[in-house]
Amino acid sequence: EDESEEEPKLKYERLSNGVTEILQKDAASCMTVHEKFLALGTHYGKVYLLDVQGNITQKFDVSPVKINQISLDESGEHMGVCSEDGKVQVFGLYSAEEFHETFDCPIKIVAVHPHFVRSHFKQFVTGGKKLLLYERGWMNRWKPSVLHEGEGNIRNVKWRGHLIAWANNMGVKILDMISKQRITNVPRDDISLRPDMYPCSLCWKDNLTLIIGWGNSVKICSVKERHASEMRDLPNRYVEIVFQFDTEFYISGLAPLCDQLVILSYVKEISEKTEVECCARPRLDIVQPLPESCEEISSDALTVRGFQENECRDYHLEYSEGESLFYIISPRDVVVAKERDQDDHIDWLLEKKKYEEALMAAEISQKTIKKHKILDIGLAYINHLVEKGEYDLAARKCQKILGKNTELWEFEVYKFKEIGQLKAISRYLPRRDPVLKPLIYEMVLHEFLESDYEGFATLIKEWPGDLYNNTIIVQAVVDHLKKDPQNRTLLRTLAELYTYDQRYGRALEIYLTLRHKDVFQLIHKHNLFSSIRDKIVLLMDFDSEKAVDMLLDNEDKISIDRVVEELENRPELQHVYLHKLFKRDHHKGQRYHEKQISLYAEYDRPNLLPFLRDSTHCPLEKALEICQQRNFVEETVYLLSRMGNSRSALKMIMEELHDVDKAIEFAKEQDDGELWEDLILYSIDKPPFITGLLNNIGTHVDPILLIHRIKEGMEIPNLRDSLVKILQDYNLQILLREGCKKILVADSLSLLKKMHRTQMKGVLVDEENICESCLSPILPSDASKSFSVVVFHCRHMFHRECLPVSNTVSSVQFCNICSAKHRGPGSTVLEMKK
């Protein structure tokens, strides 16, 4: 199988039915194609109208000799026919309109105006030795006029729009019917070829593009408008050759296909037997024109009847523009070539066993394909993969191809079972929409259970429990466990099956035995706290952190007392639980704080001191006893200081820890002069301690007290640096005091000014104010009478006569009410008289 073989672009079939009958007795000489029908001329002078299937619809006996050319207008209502005996007929197929003329020489071509059906376009041309234009004029008479002569027989004519192109022995000409001017002459390249044996092929691609094929040369010409400035006496149009290239063989016909060309070639080859040149099968090539060459897209050799006897002039290529149909005409055969559609493309892919590409093509074109069904292609693809032994790929494709068809799914599963490949399809079985019969899933599970415990466990985990009969599978697993009771995979799978079956107690027992990570998830999900009351130690042994978190999160279901009781024989686990409880809430487990002292001392000394600091419920005497027994100095120091025995604590720091920095820090925390005195006394004969004190006590104790007690001659390390530091600290204190003094004075002055401004403001006195002594209105009801009111800055008001007489020598009066509480700013008098 040639994997690199390219797919053909065209497909071929013989035009049969009536054509077969005609060519058994006669030979085809020419044919013209209309979108509605075909017109076939024969060597015996007959013209047949055919439908596209080749059935004869009408027959015309035109001449006893060969029909050379048939021409149809665009409407398909008028036909022109010429024959070898010089006869020319132009007539209406559906009307009585008719023209007859007989010439004294063979007429090779005839072409009616494309719009002949219209009255003002009643024109046609004929070609023999001259190119004659016939026009219907006055009284329906036909008037001939010579368009061209003198260059040999006219071999071919093609009329498109207002342009007529014809070929004679010298080359190709184009006439503009509007201006009646000839606008170009394209000479033929190879003059050695007989023009009657190797005729010129002409084809209009559109109204302005002419394709010329002659011998083995192809030219594509474009008719263009000439610019007004270039005209002078020249035609208003000119022709430019835009593509020109040579072919390998002689050209018998041309047709456009989008931007490509279809070329019918006449081929000669040397016979292997006789070594003589003979006629080979004609070729139909599709080429992509390039400016000076062409690229071959496809090439097909055609097996036409009698090709061994045909010449280049015996082949013709006609085409139907709207449908991309190409007709290859030879004397004994008519072959139709058409572009391959998606059905043809899929046929070719299936033939080459390219099933995946065929399936993709069918899916893309599912609305247009008529012959194929996606499902049929998919099933063929699955069978092909199975035959090749690609079972996994075949199973994977089942998902896409079988879709929701349960019958097909079940059929394929049984097929995979027959070839022993159930495992291959297991991963791809549908689990939701659709769901197959439980028997299918059970069959697959039994297959795995017999040979692959891990695969079985994976399926149980991935498949929903309602796909199969759980009881049957549980029993099968239990039977296998009898042979291998310690198999962890089977035990884990059995626990999952029990979970699906809502037998959570049994599942929990297995999970705990296996110390499986899903045990906590199972407890939470199904609220199995009542089942774990006697399994707390097992849970803690498995994962103490997760177990403690779970127990503390669910205190309402398993009490603290129950947990502590269960862990009584495992103090290390008891400590883990109580420690985390204390971290969450210092007061919840207060009844166990005394017990926790021993637990911390035994299992977690680093956290003992933080516990003693944070707990307000542990007995200090008990804690001190335990710490002293175990010689825990730091904890003992803390407890002694907390119990008020700071001197003992300091002594222990000095004597046990020998840490002057810690002793100084402790003295700073206690801020007790006696402690500093004890510290100085203890350190006075220890030079390193003296250095530490000199460096640290400057802000708490007068350094002079320490310096005076140092014995003369004692060598103290870093004494100079310590003294410099004391002086620097003293200077810093002086600077701070001066700074604070400046700030205090500035603030005091600012506040004094503010108070003065406030006291200088007036005070509103109206009818609503009362005397604080007699409680009557401060203002008299008769405003004309004189009165005297005393208003203090504290806003208390009195009638002058209501104020008691001052016993002091000072003339300054103070508010009686405020003076009774305290005397301060704002209590002095503001007198108001009238």
Side-chain angles (χ1 to χ4, degrees), residues 633-646:
V633 178
E634 290 186 16
E635 291 82 356
T636 304
V637 168
Y638 170 74
L639 290 170
L640 286 171
S641 65
R642 186 170 168 184
M643 294 169 72
N645 196 351
S646 301

PDB file of all heavy atoms in Angstrom, residues 633-646:
ATOM      1  N   VAL A 633      15.661  25.189  86.292  1.00  0.00           N
ATOM      2  CA  VAL A 633      16.024  26.472  86.914  1.00  0.00           C
ATOM      3  C   VAL A 633      15.121  27.600  86.421  1.00  0.00           C
ATOM      4  O   VAL A 633      14.564  28.363  87.217  1.00  0.00           O
ATOM      5  CB  VAL A 633      17.507  26.802  86.633  1.00  0.00           C
ATOM      6  CG1 VAL A 633      17.872  28.157  87.238  1.00  0.00           C
ATOM      7  CG2 VAL A 633      18.392  25.708  87.192  1.00  0.00           C
ATOM      8  N   GLU A 634      14.988  27.742  85.086  1.00  0.00           N
ATOM      9  CA  GLU A 634      14.213  28.866  84.545  1.00  0.00           C
ATOM     10  C   GLU A 634      12.775  28.830  85.043  1.00  0.00           C
ATOM     11  O   GLU A 634      12.209  29.866  85.422  1.00  0.00           O
ATOM     12  CB  GLU A 634      14.239  28.836  83.017  1.00  0.00           C
ATOM     13  CG  GLU A 634      15.601  29.179  82.441  1.00  0.00           C
ATOM     14  CD  GLU A 634      15.550  29.293  80.932  1.00  0.00           C
ATOM     15  OE1 GLU A 634      14.432  29.413  80.381  1.00  0.00           O
ATOM     16  OE2 GLU A 634      16.607  29.264  80.294  1.00  0.00           O
ATOM     17  N   GLU A 635      12.171  27.639  85.017  1.00  0.00           N
ATOM     18  CA  GLU A 635      10.793  27.518  85.480  1.00  0.00           C
ATOM     19  C   GLU A 635      10.705  27.818  86.977  1.00  0.00           C
ATOM     20  O   GLU A 635       9.749  28.465  87.449  1.00  0.00           O
ATOM     21  CB  GLU A 635      10.274  26.106  85.185  1.00  0.00           C
ATOM     22  CG  GLU A 635      10.069  25.800  83.711  1.00  0.00           C
ATOM     23  CD  GLU A 635      11.346  25.404  83.012  1.00  0.00           C
ATOM     24  OE1 GLU A 635      12.420  25.440  83.658  1.00  0.00           O
ATOM     25  OE2 GLU A 635      11.294  25.063  81.801  1.00  0.00           O
ATOM     26  N   THR A 636      11.727  27.344  87.771  1.00  0.00           N
ATOM     27  CA  THR A 636      11.720  27.595  89.222  1.00  0.00           C
ATOM     28  C   THR A 636      11.850  29.093  89.498  1.00  0.00           C
ATOM     29  O   THR A 636      11.167  29.644  90.375  1.00  0.00           O
ATOM     30  CB  THR A 636      12.874  26.830  89.895  1.00  0.00           C
ATOM     31  OG1 THR A 636      12.754  25.438  89.582  1.00  0.00           O
ATOM     32  CG2 THR A 636      12.844  27.011  91.404  1.00  0.00           C
ATOM     33  N   VAL A 637      12.756  29.764  88.760  1.00  0.00           N
ATOM     34  CA  VAL A 637      12.911  31.216  88.927  1.00  0.00           C
ATOM     35  C   VAL A 637      11.581  31.926  88.687  1.00  0.00           C
ATOM     36  O   VAL A 637      11.170  32.806  89.452  1.00  0.00           O
ATOM     37  CB  VAL A 637      13.993  31.741  87.959  1.00  0.00           C
ATOM     38  CG1 VAL A 637      13.962  33.265  87.894  1.00  0.00           C
ATOM     39  CG2 VAL A 637      15.362  31.263  88.400  1.00  0.00           C
ATOM     40  N   TYR A 638      10.894  31.537  87.574  1.00  0.00           N
ATOM     41  CA  TYR A 638       9.606  32.184  87.268  1.00  0.00           C
ATOM     42  C   TYR A 638       8.599  31.963  88.392  1.00  0.00           C
ATOM     43  O   TYR A 638       7.907  32.892  88.826  1.00  0.00           O
ATOM     44  CB  TYR A 638       9.047  31.643  85.947  1.00  0.00           C
ATOM     45  CG  TYR A 638       7.629  32.072  85.707  1.00  0.00           C
ATOM     46  CD1 TYR A 638       7.337  33.381  85.341  1.00  0.00           C
ATOM     47  CD2 TYR A 638       6.566  31.179  85.897  1.00  0.00           C
ATOM     48  CE1 TYR A 638       6.027  33.794  85.150  1.00  0.00           C
ATOM     49  CE2 TYR A 638       5.269  31.586  85.717  1.00  0.00           C
ATOM     50  CZ  TYR A 638       4.996  32.881  85.339  1.00  0.00           C
ATOM     51  OH  TYR A 638       3.700  33.291  85.173  1.00  0.00           O
ATOM     52  N   LEU A 639       8.517  30.716  88.879  1.00  0.00           N
ATOM     53  CA  LEU A 639       7.529  30.400  89.925  1.00  0.00           C
ATOM     54  C   LEU A 639       7.857  31.147  91.213  1.00  0.00           C
ATOM     55  O   LEU A 639       6.957  31.657  91.905  1.00  0.00           O
ATOM     56  CB  LEU A 639       7.493  28.888  90.151  1.00  0.00           C
ATOM     57  CG  LEU A 639       6.874  28.070  88.995  1.00  0.00           C
ATOM     58  CD1 LEU A 639       7.116  26.581  89.197  1.00  0.00           C
ATOM     59  CD2 LEU A 639       5.368  28.334  88.919  1.00  0.00           C
ATOM     60  N   LEU A 640       9.163  31.206  91.595  1.00  0.00           N
ATOM     61  CA  LEU A 640       9.535  31.932  92.814  1.00  0.00           C
ATOM     62  C   LEU A 640       9.159  33.408  92.716  1.00  0.00           C
ATOM     63  O   LEU A 640       8.625  34.003  93.657  1.00  0.00           O
ATOM     64  CB  LEU A 640      11.045  31.796  93.055  1.00  0.00           C
ATOM     65  CG  LEU A 640      11.513  30.404  93.557  1.00  0.00           C
ATOM     66  CD1 LEU A 640      13.032  30.318  93.550  1.00  0.00           C
ATOM     67  CD2 LEU A 640      10.965  30.125  94.959  1.00  0.00           C
ATOM     68  N   SER A 641       9.428  34.004  91.542  1.00  0.00           N
ATOM     69  CA  SER A 641       9.085  35.425  91.389  1.00  0.00           C
ATOM     70  C   SER A 641       7.583  35.623  91.393  1.00  0.00           C
ATOM     71  O   SER A 641       7.083  36.606  91.941  1.00  0.00           O
ATOM     72  CB  SER A 641       9.678  35.962  90.090  1.00  0.00           C
ATOM     73  OG  SER A 641       9.088  35.325  88.972  1.00  0.00           O
ATOM     74  N   ARG A 642       6.839  34.673  90.801  1.00  0.00           N
ATOM     75  CA  ARG A 642       5.385  34.799  90.775  1.00  0.00           C
ATOM     76  C   ARG A 642       4.794  34.635  92.163  1.00  0.00           C
ATOM     77  O   ARG A 642       3.767  35.235  92.482  1.00  0.00           O
ATOM     78  CB  ARG A 642       4.803  33.752  89.811  1.00  0.00           C
ATOM     79  CG  ARG A 642       3.311  33.900  89.605  1.00  0.00           C
ATOM     80  CD  ARG A 642       2.836  33.020  88.495  1.00  0.00           C
ATOM     81  NE  ARG A 642       1.390  32.946  88.463  1.00  0.00           N
ATOM     82  CZ  ARG A 642       0.681  32.188  87.642  1.00  0.00           C
ATOM     83  NH1 ARG A 642       1.322  31.446  86.754  1.00  0.00           N
ATOM     84  NH2 ARG A 642      -0.633  32.173  87.708  1.00  0.00           N
ATOM     85  N   MET A 643       5.478  33.828  93.019  1.00  0.00           N
ATOM     86  CA  MET A 643       4.987  33.613  94.381  1.00  0.00           C
ATOM     87  C   MET A 643       5.497  34.713  95.332  1.00  0.00           C
ATOM     88  O   MET A 643       5.236  34.673  96.525  1.00  0.00           O
ATOM     89  CB  MET A 643       5.446  32.235  94.873  1.00  0.00           C
ATOM     90  CG  MET A 643       4.809  31.073  94.079  1.00  0.00           C
ATOM     91  SD  MET A 643       5.561  29.478  94.434  1.00  0.00           S
ATOM     92  CE  MET A 643       4.951  29.182  96.085  1.00  0.00           C
ATOM     93  N   GLY A 644       6.263  35.713  94.819  1.00  0.00           N
ATOM     94  CA  GLY A 644       6.709  36.846  95.632  1.00  0.00           C
ATOM     95  C   GLY A 644       8.092  36.680  96.220  1.00  0.00           C
ATOM     96  O   GLY A 644       8.583  37.572  96.915  1.00  0.00           O
ATOM     97  N   ASN A 645       8.755  35.594  95.979  1.00  0.00           N
ATOM     98  CA  ASN A 645      10.075  35.333  96.550  1.00  0.00           C
ATOM     99  C   ASN A 645      11.134  35.740  95.527  1.00  0.00           C
ATOM    100  O   ASN A 645      11.871  34.913  94.992  1.00  0.00           O
ATOM    101  CB  ASN A 645      10.197  33.852  96.910  1.00  0.00           C
ATOM    102  CG  ASN A 645      11.360  33.592  97.853  1.00  0.00           C
ATOM    103  OD1 ASN A 645      12.173  34.497  98.095  1.00  0.00           O
ATOM    104  ND2 ASN A 645      11.447  32.380  98.377  1.00  0.00           N
ATOM    105  N   SER A 646      11.189  37.047  95.253  1.00  0.00           N
ATOM    106  CA  SER A 646      12.075  37.549  94.201  1.00  0.00           C
ATOM    107  C   SER A 646      13.540  37.392  94.573  1.00  0.00           C
ATOM    108  O   SER A 646      14.386  37.122  93.700  1.00  0.00           O
ATOM    109  CB  SER A 646      11.780  39.020  93.923  1.00  0.00           C
ATOM    110  OG  SER A 646      10.448  39.180  93.521  1.00  0.00           O
TER     111      SER A 646
END
